[in-house]
Amino acid sequence: MFSQLAVDEHTHLRPFEVADAEAAFGLVDANRPHLRRWLPWVDTATSVEDTRAFFKSSQEQGDARTNLYVGIWHRGELAGSISFYWIDTHNRCAAIAYVLAERFQGRGLVTKACRTLVSYGFTEVGLNRLEIRAAAENTRSRAVAERLGFTVEGIARQEQRLQDRYVDMVVYPMLAPEWRAASGRTEGVLGRVETAGGKHG
Ligand SMILES: CC(C)(COP(=O)(O)OP(=O)(O)OC[C@H]1O[C@@H](n2cnc3c(N)ncnc32)[C@H](O)[C@@H]1OP(=O)(O)O)[C@@H](O)C(=O)NCCC(=O)NCCS
């Protein structure tokens, strides 16, 4: 796993540590109405201790390569997070989620962070399929997926329960050969994967 990945001159990704619990809880606590709209877990995050315990267990799972929770740090501040919240090492696939504090929206931070982590997942880890699932009405989240070239595979009907309703989720996969067609190396820690004869460099 990386200790830090540069996104741009002012932004980097760093896997969360237990010591980040205060900053991460603070971000959620200060952005509840913004986040609650789309994220069912927000109301269950009630204390720094919860976040600490979450980071501790996700670090252990990260060591086992079953997930990866990463902070998006912009000009020294925690602006948001991005994760492979589920990694299936046998099938070499993972699901991506992202969150930004409301005031950091609109600058391309998540699109750029996602591009960086997706490249890492395909080229360094050796994943074959990455998936973004966005609520059908979550236009900002869908725009991130579409800006990155993820395409719609289908709709998972009423897959997510948000407060008092079920919402449809749009499934956006990206496959390694598709991503590599535009960039990249061909081998990750899970081993060599087939190439699509894409451009290398
Ligand atoms: C989903 C979420 C992370 C998207 O945030 P966002 O700010 O719209 O996404 P980005 O950081 O990629 O920024 C894109 C915006 O920056 C602009 N931008 C500026 N520079 C850019 C660049 N270099 N690259 C891409 N976009 C850029 C884009 O035009 C776009 O502008 P718009 O808001 O006018 O459309 C945010 O809305 C959020 O946290 N929502 C709540 C949680 C959530 O829904 N998570 C997703 C669950 S699946």
Side-chain angles (χ1 to χ4, degrees), residues 34-35 38-39 96-101 104-112 115 132-135 138 140-141 143-144 147 169:
H34 159 63
L35 299 177
W38 302 115
L39 305 173
I96 306 175
Y98 35 72
V99 162
L100 266 190
F104 285 103
Q105 289 183 123
R107 310 177 194 191
L109 281 180
V110 155
T111 300
K112 289 189 271 182
R115 186 176 289 122
I132 296 170
R133 288 185 173 227
N138 192 345
R140 277 190 173 270
S141 180
V144 172
R147 233 178 258 123
M169 301 297 281

Side-chain angles (χ1 to χ4, degrees), residues 136-152:
E137 296 157 30
N138 192 345
T139 49
R140 277 190 173 270
S141 180
R142 293 183 62 178
V144 172
E146 288 167 16
R147 233 178 258 123
L148 291 167
F150 285 58
T151 50
V152 177

Side-chain angles (χ1 to χ4, degrees), residues 83-100:
S83 58
F84 291 156
Y85 62 89
W86 166 82
I87 302 174
D88 175 341
T89 51
H90 175 77
N91 292 308
R92 299 186 179 193
C93 54
I96 306 175
Y98 35 72
V99 162
L100 266 190

